[in-house]
Each structure stands twice: as structure tokens, then as C-alpha cells.
Amino acid sequence: MIDFHSHILPGLDDGAKDTETSAAMLDESVRQGVKTIVCTPHYYGKRSSPAQFKEKRQRAYEKLAPYCPDGVQLRLGAEVYFTTDSVVCHEDLALLAIEDTRYILLELPFLKSFSNRLLNKLSEFIYETGLTPVLAHIERYRAVLENPSVLYEFQQMGCLFQLNAEAFSLKPTQGFAKTMLSKGLVSAFGSDMHNNDDRAPNLKTLFDSLQGQETLVQSVFERSGAILNDEQISVQPKKVRKFFGKFF
Ligand SMILES: [Fe+2]
């Protein structure tokens, strides 16, 4: 399993507070069968430049790396907050792509709806950097759940989607998440783990929530593997619609 979204690195954000916590999160992830963890600490442009952030991230990684068992990989990325009022230019933000790949994990603002200004800025970002955004925990945005047709606009720009494992078990999102999976629109799963308590490693729960759909789950992990190998991913754009509270 590949955990594409995690706050496992110590002392960088609201995730693991120290190396001991990080190591315990790593242990639990490995116990669940995770082989690759993409470390994606929050990046908010106002606090540090991408270059400063990467230095701090490297130091945090070096604290955790000795605890990483053979056969398990930690990869370095960031959960980059992308808004219309970002102070960091696109070229600098591109430094936060996942290691040497063309992919970057972006978090969008939690608004009632996404403005055209935001969509245009995202489109410009893609054009100027040549990167492919993977949109983090796409099920968590009210703007998406209430108006899933916006997903089609993201797909046409070339964006990919990451879902959190909990999306498949929580009532408000499970219908949406299962529709996304069945349409082949999920490119990555994440635990979005922050600690060992209320936001703990949970990737294994995917197999409890999605019994009988193991092949689909596996195909998402394969796609995530291709992303981490910097392979070109092609996903056929598909519409997701909502009627009477259900997703189709
Ligand atoms: Fe996150």
C-alpha cells in the first residue's frame, strides 16, 4: 500500500509532535501493510519560502529515517495550500513537487464554492510550471460535495484526485467516494495521519470499507506507484453528478 498523504515528519506542522510519535506512526503504518509513505507536511506560503521549508523538512526526515525498516520507503512532498492570495510565485511553489516528479499535492481552500479566480489561477499554475496537481482529500471540500460538476473542470485541466481512507467509511462522504472509485477517478489514497489518536494511520480500513472491490483499490495503488515513478498518468475525464443527495 502507498500512503500518499501524511503528516508523519516530526515537528513541522500540526502532525507528529516529536520523533517518538513519528516512529510510532511509522510502526503502525508498516503493521497495516504500508510500503511507501509520502511525507506531506503542510506548506503555507506566509510562513516560509519553499527553499526554507525544504531544509526544515530534510532535517525532520533525517530524524525519522533511522526508524524506517528495510523494504519501506519514505518519499518527500508537501501539502501545498493553494489560494488566490498566495504570496509565493508559481515557479517557487513548483519546488514542492513530490521529489523529482511532475506531481504536486495541493490543498484548496475550504470555501462554499471555488471562485473562477481560483480555477483560473490553478490553470495558470499548471501552464506555467508543467506540473500535474494531485488535489488532496477531494471529498473534504463542501464546494465539491455540493457541486461535484466542478470536478470535471479540474479533470479537464489535468488534475488528479486523492481521497482519504476515512472518506469510504464516513456517512457524509462514502457515497461520493465510492462513486469516484467506481468511475476510476481516484489516483491516490491517503491516511492524512497527524498522530496516533484521533488522526491515526488507517489505510487498512480501505479494505474493510471496500470489501469485494479489492481490484479497484489495487488499481489506485498502482496508479500512485506510477505517479511516484514520474510516469505519465492518463485518466479519462468523467462527470460526477448529484441528484437527491446521491452521487452518480
Ligand atoms: Fe493533510
Side-chain angles (χ1 to χ4, degrees), residues 5-18 21-22 25 40-44 47 53 79 107 110 137 140 192-200:
H5 183 159
S6 73
H7 300 272
I8 191 172
L9 291 181
L12 287 182
D13 58 5
D14 58 342
K17 63 180 190 311
D18 51 31
T21 308
S22 298
M25 289 159 77
T40 55
H42 286 290
Y43 177 76
Y44 301 106
R47 296 182 195 165
F53 173 87
E79 180 178 11
E107 179 180 45
F110 291 90
H137 44 56
R140 288 189 58 200
D192 204 357
M193 56 177 157
H194 281 64
N195 51 46
N196 285 300
D197 307 311
D198 56 332
R199 300 186 77 181

Side-chain angles (χ1 to χ4, degrees), residues 150-167:
V150 73
L151 293 174
Y152 195 64
E153 295 183 54
F154 289 135
Q155 292 176 65
Q156 286 177 316
M157 290 181 205
C159 296
L160 303 176
F161 304 121
Q162 177 259 314
L163 266 75
N164 283 357
E166 67 178 12

Side-chain angles (χ1 to χ4, degrees), residues 30 70 125 174 194 223 232 241 243:
V30 173
D70 286 347
F125 173 78
Q174 64 185 181
H194 281 64
R223 198 177 279 173
Q232 175 93 44
R241 293 191 174 89
F243 293 113

Side-chain angles (χ1 to χ4, degrees), residues 112-146:
K112 227 165 54 179
S113 65
F114 297 131
S115 64
N116 283 336
R117 219 174 126 221
L118 181 72
L119 297 176
N120 290 339
K121 189 172 158 73
L122 184 58
S123 185
E124 278 166 25
F125 173 78
I126 295 168
Y127 180 76
E128 288 169 18
T129 63
L131 292 178
T132 297
V134 179
L135 301 182
H137 44 56
I138 197 69
E139 81 285 357
R140 288 189 58 200
Y141 306 102
R142 189 173 154 201
V144 170
L145 291 180
E146 291 188 0

Side-chain angles (χ1 to χ4, degrees), residues 167-181:
F168 294 92
S169 56
L170 298 177
K171 269 259 157 59
T173 53
Q174 64 185 181
F176 170 79
K178 287 181 179 176
T179 301
M180 292 285 287
L181 183 68

